[in-house]
Structure formats: C-alpha cells, structure tokens
Amino acid sequence: LDALDPENDTALNDTVVAAYRSMRRRYEPGSQHTIVLLTDGRNGDDNSIGHEQMLRRLQSMGKPGQPIDVVSIAYGEGPDLDKLADVSEVVGGRVISSPQVARLDRLFIEALRR
C-alpha cells in the first residue's frame, strides 16, 4: 500500500461496472457482498463510460433482496467524493476518504466493518 501513487488515469466507471457485474454473477444468498474499491476517486479515462451511464447500468443490475455494497476508499488529493457517493446511493455502501496513503490499512479495516 505504501507504494501506491494516484495517477488519475484509470477507467473508474468501467471498473465499478465490471466489479459489480462479477459480484452479481457470483452472488450467494446469505453471504455479505461488498466490493471494496480503492481509488484516487476520479474517472481519468476518456474512453470509459460516463458517470450517468455507469449509474444506470448499476441500477439495472440491482436485484431486490440481493444487495451488493460498494465501499469506496478514496485516497490522494482531490477525489470526486460526490460521484463516489452517487454509486453508494444507487447500490448501497459508503465512501471513506483520506488524503494520507499511510492510513490505507486502517481504511480497509473500516471498509469491511458492517
């Protein structure tokens, strides 16, 4: 974790949709389903789907009674916390943020608490 350096060139929106789709395919009733998304908090890929399109896809994949939470751990300077909060609002979950990379281990533990 200490070697991580946010570079702001990731396809965040595509990644969230792919992770949610993968978790949906592997859904097991009675188990907790949480995607922990470690991110610099911005979609930096111009070829990625847009924010609204990502939210619509997540919403369409949701199933009543089969929750899949997305817990976003945003680190570094300037994450777009509002957009990450939109994801949590649509599918469940929350956003945890810290500009200090040194706190990431504690943030992971906090992310997995329910």
Side-chain angles (χ1 to χ4, degrees):
L1 293 176
D2 292 336
L4 293 175
D5 183 30
E7 295 182 14
N8 295 319
D9 63 351
T10 55
L12 177 63
N13 297 345
D14 289 338
T15 300
V16 171
V17 169
Y20 196 88
R21 183 178 295 123
S22 178
M23 184 71 74
R24 174 61 59 212
R25 283 194 302 258
R26 292 169 176 78
Y27 194 91
E28 292 184 31
S31 297
Q32 179 179 340
H33 298 83
T34 303
I35 297 166
V36 178
L37 178 67
L38 178 63
T39 178
D40 59 13
R42 295 196 174 277
N43 185 64
D45 184 347
D46 292 336
N47 296 316
S48 179
I49 61 172
H51 182 70
E52 294 301 320
Q53 186 178 8
M54 173 192 62
L55 294 176
R56 284 191 302 273
R57 286 187 185 180
L58 291 173
Q59 198 167 35
S60 72
M61 287 188 281
K63 292 186 179 180
Q66 293 185 0
I68 298 173
D69 292 337
V70 176
V71 178
S72 300
I73 300 175
Y75 70 99
E77 299 298 324
D80 195 334
L81 299 177
D82 290 337
K83 288 188 176 176
L84 293 172
D86 289 345
V87 172
S88 297
E89 187 176 315
V90 168
V91 298
R94 58 195 164 118
V95 178
I96 303 168
S97 175
S98 176
Q100 299 172 343
V101 175
R103 290 199 62 227
L104 287 180
D105 57 344
R106 285 177 271 165
L107 296 177
F108 266 103
I109 293 168
E110 185 179 336
L112 295 174
R113 285 187 192 153
R114 203 159 190 188

